[in-house]
Amino acid sequence: RSRIIWNQPLDPTSWLASNYIDLDSEDGDLITAMWILKDILVVFKKYKTYIVKYVGGVAQFDWERVDNAIGCVGPNAVCENDGALYFTGPDGFYIFDGTRPPYPISQQFENRVNRINSDLEYVAEVDNYDTKGQIFFNVAEGSSTRKNKIYIYDPVGKNWTQWNVGVASISNILYGANLMFLDFPNAYETYSAVIGDAGGARDSFLAFGTYD
């Protein structure tokens, strides 16, 4: 699982045997996620980051390894916001804009990020809340057998908010002007939430906060 293949131009039914590139096929690592950023294809393994570019000719591509130690943990653990990728790596949260290697954004609470359950890191999610331009990192922390922690990053203020909530998929609840959570227990920060009969926040209107 280190190979990228492509079809012939304008013909999705034609896949030539020669149309492929291998990205460090002998390293024992696997491709975990891909994303088209601007005019490049960003390819992640768990411990490496690559860019793939069109270099001319008939379906000719070349690749470059931009980091030897930082990658993305899973297929849903990356999103794009304002021309950059935000993703969960095996040791923290990162940003990559295509012009320099990925760099960390979670240093201020690194000890907590290191408690992400490594057995479940592949189910981690990252998504952006367009209305406020914030990035949501949904992970399983500690010994939890499901995702139980959301870290929210504000790229403008470079601050963090932490929610102790269990949400199966943040992609299904980030929409419009409202942030919807259905019946989650034990959330200690609900941000102007309307509390439902089960004691969970029904409608949470996201507010900027600083991780403490």
Side-chain angles (χ1 to χ4, degrees), residues 124-180:
E125 287 183 293
V126 181
D127 209 341
N128 64 332
Y129 186 37
D130 288 334
T131 302
K132 293 186 178 293
Q134 294 167 316
I135 314 300
F136 282 57
F137 297 83
N138 190 18
V139 298
E141 189 174 275
S143 60
S144 177
T145 58
R146 62 187 179 89
K147 286 171 281 189
N148 65 338
K149 187 83 69 177
I150 296 178
Y151 293 99
I152 306 165
Y153 180 62
D154 167 24
V156 177
K158 293 182 171 54
N159 55 26
W160 288 89
T161 299
Q162 169 192 291
W163 285 4
N164 289 333
V165 296
V167 177
S169 177
I170 54 174
S171 299
N172 293 333
I173 57 176
L174 294 175
Y175 65 91
N178 296 339
L179 176 63
M180 302 288 291

Side-chain angles (χ1 to χ4, degrees), residues 181-185 190 193-204:
F181 287 100
L182 300 180
D183 294 332
F184 61 78
T190 52
V194 177
I195 304 300
D197 294 337
R202 288 292 188 180
D203 293 302
S204 294

